[in-house]
Amino acid sequence: MTTQVTDHRGGVWSIAVPIPDNPLGHTLVHLLETDRGPVLIDTGWDDPDSWDTLVAGVTACGFAVADLHGVLITHHHPDHHGLSAKAREASGAWIAMHAADAAVVRRTREAEPGRWLDYLLAKLTAAGAPEDHLTPLREARAGGRGRRLPGRRAALPDRGIEPGELLDLPGRRLRAIWTPGHTPGHVCLHLEERHPVLEPARPAGAEAGAAGPGAGAAGQGAGGGTAGGGTAGGRGRLFSGDHLLPGITPHIGLYEDPDEREATDPLGDYLDSLERIGRLAPAEVLPAHQHAFTDAEGRVGELIAHHEERLSGLRALLREPRTPWQLAVAMEWNRPWDRIPYGSRNIAVSEAEAHLRRLEKLGHAERIPGSDPATYRAV
């Protein structure tokens, strides 16, 4: 097994932890050296091979898993939070997460079996999903398969991450920035330290159990810079989780909360959060997927323009009244609708609904009174 580890200099490493059967390939788990031991930023998917890769990566950075001091979670999704419990069991490390995402974890763990399927059925029915899409969910509900839904074993965090706070990491200056949108409690982490003067990234991957610090770099090309790139000095480095990625637009859907009473605006949250990160202008971004990159301001501009264009396109589609399901079918995705897997269609509908919610907030779309399923039109 080859473990991809990149030394980003200055006591910052990344470990590529695989995500089973997922086109993203891996999560970049970052290791930050502190005076009390290494701290992980995210952990990766809960899978035996992923765990073995994480352990091998920590070893390649010159530490043992038992040395871990803490785990900082950018957001609750399983490719980021999945291995947190195992990391805590192996080391006694604390786990920290923003309160809004900790609430999601707690709600998922405590929910009665089948409650999520009930919620999903009601939500998709209201969105206008056809009967052939709803039938497998009804069968799963009748068969009690809600008991095996992912997320029910996710670790509860020991600590909160407060927006704006300088985290208690001796020897480091790491500040939390609340960036809701992808999830309600997503955080980016700003390393407020002068960016080290970097040499070219070290070649070769580190074998599990191989030499310690400096054993290898992951060969990750970077948009706008080398794999460990960035300029010397600048405004530090940003661990961006899924908020800011070099070549992917993160999924923005409605926040999934069966008890939600207030109409949230995840896309509005995301765009506001992007602007804050753009103003921060870090010298380098260390995301959880793909590769490190520079020019955060430029990437923020691209993402904002993308969503503005998407909103404009959806407003045009709504000249003909549509349900959220019909809107999702009509939207442009990275593949034709008939080739989108079953589960991914639910995600697509949630994204369509988030854009609808934003258009409603802006006064550019409205629900047709009395429509069932919910049907929307441009204003």
Side-chain angles (χ1 to χ4, degrees):
M1 176 182 69
T2 299
T3 303
Q4 290 185 317
V5 176
T6 300
D7 180 359
H8 294 280
R9 307 297 197 273
V12 176
W13 305 75
S14 63
I15 304 164
V17 177
I19 310 172
D21 303 317
N22 189 294
L24 280 175
H26 58 260
T27 301
L28 291 174
V29 173
H30 291 92
L31 183 149
L32 179 66
E33 298 178 34
T34 80
D35 290 348
R36 289 187 189 161
V39 169
L40 294 183
I41 299 173
D42 293 333
T43 59
W45 191 275
D46 185 6
D47 175 81
D49 289 341
S50 302
W51 172 249
D52 290 346
T53 300
L54 179 62
V55 171
V58 172
T59 301
C61 294
F63 301 97
V65 169
D67 298 330
L68 292 174
H69 173 55
V71 177
L72 296 163
I73 300 299
T74 61
H75 62 295
H76 72 82
H77 287 165
D79 55 325
H80 297 257
H81 183 43
L83 287 170
S84 298
K86 289 184 72 70
R88 180 164 60 190
E89 289 169 8
S91 64
W94 45 260
I95 302 171
M97 181 185 291
H98 187 280
D101 273 21
V104 175
V105 173
R106 187 172 296 104
R107 184 169 64 242
T108 303
R109 286 170 57 99
E110 296 174 354
E112 291 295 323
R115 186 179 183 214
W116 170 250
L117 286 176
D118 289 340
Y119 166 71
L120 191 58
L121 272 165
K123 183 171 179 290
L124 288 168
T125 300
E131 188 59 34
D132 63 351
H133 187 84
L134 298 174
T135 297
L137 292 172
R138 291 199 177 101
E139 292 173 349
R141 180 68 179 94
R145 294 200 290 276
R147 298 174 187 272
R148 297 193 296 272
L149 287 173
R152 293 182 60 82
R153 297 189 306 166
L156 284 172
D158 311 290
R159 301 183 179 186
I161 296 178
E162 295 296 329
E165 78 170 351
L166 198 61
L167 300 175
D168 181 19
L169 301 178
R172 309 307 301 241
R173 287 188 59 86
L174 188 69
R175 192 175 303 277
I177 303 172
W178 184 33
T179 50
H182 185 55
T183 70
H186 192 290
V187 293
C188 293
L189 300 164
H190 185 210
L191 190 59
E192 295 179 346
E193 300 170 10
R194 184 172 178 82
H195 196 301
V197 178
L198 298 178
E199 300 170 356
R202 301 173 188 179
E207 291 291 336
Q220 300 285 331
T226 60
T231 58
R235 302 193 66 183
R237 291 182 275 187
L238 184 77
F239 299 100
S240 66
D242 282 359
H243 183 68
L244 191 62
L245 302 169
I248 301 172
T249 303
H251 165 67
I252 308 297
L254 293 186
Y255 300 142
E256 304 294 1
D257 181 355
D259 297 324
E260 181 180 281
R261 296 291 178 265
E262 182 180 346
T264 58
D265 180 15
L267 182 55
D269 292 344
Y270 179 66
L271 294 172
D272 289 345
S273 300
L274 275 179
E275 290 182 351
R276 290 201 304 275
I277 294 302
R279 291 192 295 270
L280 183 67
E284 183 183 32
V285 179
L286 301 175
H289 301 290
Q290 297 189 297
H291 53 75
F293 64 102
T294 57
D295 191 18
E297 292 172 283
R299 183 58 182 148
V300 163
E302 292 173 356
L303 287 166
I304 290 174
H306 164 78
H307 284 288
E308 288 177 346
E309 181 179 348
R310 200 153 179 78
L311 287 167
S312 177
L314 297 191
R315 193 179 180 191
L317 286 173
L318 289 172
R319 290 171 187 156
E320 172 189 332
R322 300 176 192 262
T323 66
W325 181 275
Q326 291 168 335
L327 187 62
V329 172
M331 289 169 68
E332 183 176 334
W333 304 102
N334 59 2
R335 69 191 93 175
W337 183 259
D338 60 5
R339 290 173 52 200
I340 295 177
Y342 178 90
S344 297
R345 293 185 181 189
N346 298 337
I347 296 172
V349 172
S350 183
E351 188 156 326
E353 289 179 309
H355 282 75
L356 273 171
R357 185 75 57 80
R358 185 67 189 148
L359 286 171
E360 284 186 283
K361 292 271 187 179
L362 294 171
H364 296 326
E366 66 179 6
R367 179 175 175 172
I368 297 175
S371 59
D372 185 21
T375 305
Y376 294 81
R377 63 190 174 198
V379 175

